[in-house]
Amino acid sequence: QGQLVEFGGGSVQAGGSLNLSCTASGYWYSKFCMGWFRQTPDNEREEVATVDMRGRTNYAEDVKGRFTASRDNAKNTLYLQLKNLKPEDTAMYYCAAGRRQVYDCLNYEYNVWGRGTQVTVSS
């Protein structure tokens, strides 16, 4: 078993910034994909960013240039820097990880999820 815990959510004005982190325990994810997802108040679910074991990233089109994902394998931790936030970024942000080694993280099957951290952006 493993556990992921997210930190860093909060309420900000449009144009503001937040820094999220996700720390894993009980399992070592250094060789596997990790990612950030979000679920909006209208129940839309979106993959925000993925980071593979070497730090290579993929981003959703609507966050490119504004969000930056990274990881520190020595700390078993995933990060997401959110800049120039917009009201439409309001969502519950979830951290996820997998336990299968693959070439890249596109269409990856994640099987461990955090409980989420709320990001609210006001206009």
Side-chain angles (χ1 to χ4, degrees):
Q1 61 180 325
Q3 183 177 3
L4 305 176
V5 180
E6 302 96 336
F7 296 94
S11 298
V12 298
Q13 294 285 105
S17 301
L18 287 170
N19 296 107
L20 310 184
S21 64
C22 167
T23 299
S25 62
Y27 198 88
W28 201 257
Y29 295 101
S30 61
K31 297 182 180 180
F32 309 111
C33 296
M34 299 185 73
W36 289 100
F37 295 76
R38 65 186 181 185
Q39 187 163 332
T40 58
D42 63 354
N43 211 36
E44 290 286 333
R45 190 70 171 265
E46 179 182 27
E47 183 179 270
V48 176
T50 64
V51 190
D52 73 8
M53 65 294 301
R54 299 188 66 180
R56 294 173 294 195
T57 56
N58 290 293
Y59 296 96
E61 187 172 350
D62 56 349
V63 308
K64 286 182 178 179
R66 299 190 298 118
F67 293 6
T68 302
S70 60
R71 68 192 294 168
D72 185 339
N73 286 335
K75 297 181 179 180
N76 214 16
T77 299
L78 180 71
Y79 304 94
L80 185 67
Q81 184 179 56
L82 302 81
K83 295 183 177 180
N84 193 24
L85 284 160
K86 304 174 181 179
E88 50 264 46
D89 294 319
T90 295
M92 183 72 75
Y93 283 72
Y94 296 91
C95 173
R99 297 182 181 180
R100 296 183 181 184
Q101 192 168 357
V102 296
Y103 178 73
D104 65 58
C105 298
L106 296 176
N107 301 312
Y108 191 73
E109 184 175 337
Y110 296 93
N111 52 27
V112 183
W113 296 80
R115 292 190 293 178
T117 185
Q118 179 68 41
V119 171
T120 302
V121 185
S122 61
S123 59

